[in-house]
């Protein structure tokens, strides 16, 4: 993806942080997922008093996209105050739809501090191809 598109996606992720519901950790996360269709789906973390029921920003964005018919993704930007990386659960969840996904890590100032791919973040992943087809 172009530097220009990366910049736009990073801005969307940074803006999405504002909606984070994080009364327990106070760690706001924003995500912006670019689909092959050209549409961008935003997400933020949504915490819960029953802590494990919390949903991460990346999975919120992915679920919004898939529930609207998207399955092909180009890139995801993830914004936090300190350039935090996607958790293991989110890596696995996103890998379902392909590990060629570009991953942009964005800091609290909106700077892209890392550009990588899901394949690099989750090597030798388990995926749909490992399950036998009926
Ligand atoms: N969080 C995310 O939204 N994405 C990640 O990949 C890592 C963690 C959220 C979950 C929780 O609301 C807060 O960050 C602290 O773990």
């Amino acid at each position: 993806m172009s530097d220009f598109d990366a910049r736009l996606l990073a801005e969307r992720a940074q803006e999405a942080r504002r909606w984070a519901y994080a009364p327990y950790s106070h760690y706001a996360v924003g995500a912006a997922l670019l689909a092959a269709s050209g549409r961008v789906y935003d997400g933020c973390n949504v915490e819960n008093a029953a802590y494990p029921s919390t949903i991460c920003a990346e999975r919120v964005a992915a679920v919004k996209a898939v529930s609207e018919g998207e399955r092909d993704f180009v890139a995801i930007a993830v914004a936090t105050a300190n350039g935090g990386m996607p958790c293991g659960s989110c890596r696995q969840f996103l890998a379902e739809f392909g590990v060629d996904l570009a991953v942009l890590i964005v800091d609290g100032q909106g700077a892209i501090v890392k550009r990588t791919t899901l394949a690099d973040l989750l090597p030798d992943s388990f995926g749909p191809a490992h399950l036998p087809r009926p």
Side-chain angles (χ1 to χ4, degrees):
M1 80 187 307
S2 71
D3 285 351
F4 181 74
D5 286 347
R7 199 53 265 138
L8 288 179
L9 202 62
E11 280 170 20
R12 287 285 294 264
Q14 196 190 14
E15 286 167 12
R17 281 188 76 212
R18 95 167 49 194
W19 303 116
Y21 177 73
Y24 307 107
S25 73
H26 304 287
Y27 190 72
V29 186
L33 180 62
L34 172 63
S37 66
R39 286 190 64 181
V40 174
Y41 296 83
D42 299 326
C44 64
N45 51 333
V46 182
E47 297 188 346
N48 193 277
Y51 294 177
S53 296
T54 291
I55 308 177
C56 292
E58 299 92 318
R59 277 178 283 164
V60 168
V63 166
K64 283 169 70 177
V66 174
S67 67
E68 294 190 24
E70 306 279 10
R71 292 185 181 178
D72 294 334
F73 302 107
V74 177
I76 189 167
V78 182
T80 61
N82 58 357
M85 297 296 292
C87 77
S89 295
C90 287
R91 295 178 195 201
Q92 178 64 35
F93 195 87
L94 291 167
E96 179 73 18
F97 303 99
V99 293
D100 291 337
L101 189 74
V103 179
L104 311 176
I105 305 300
V106 182
D107 71 11
Q109 282 68 52
I112 298 171
V113 293
K114 191 178 181 79
R115 269 178 91 146
T116 184
T117 67
L118 195 53
D120 281 344
L121 294 180
L122 193 67
D124 299 326
S125 61
F126 181 83
H130 290 104
L131 292 178
R133 291 175 182 273

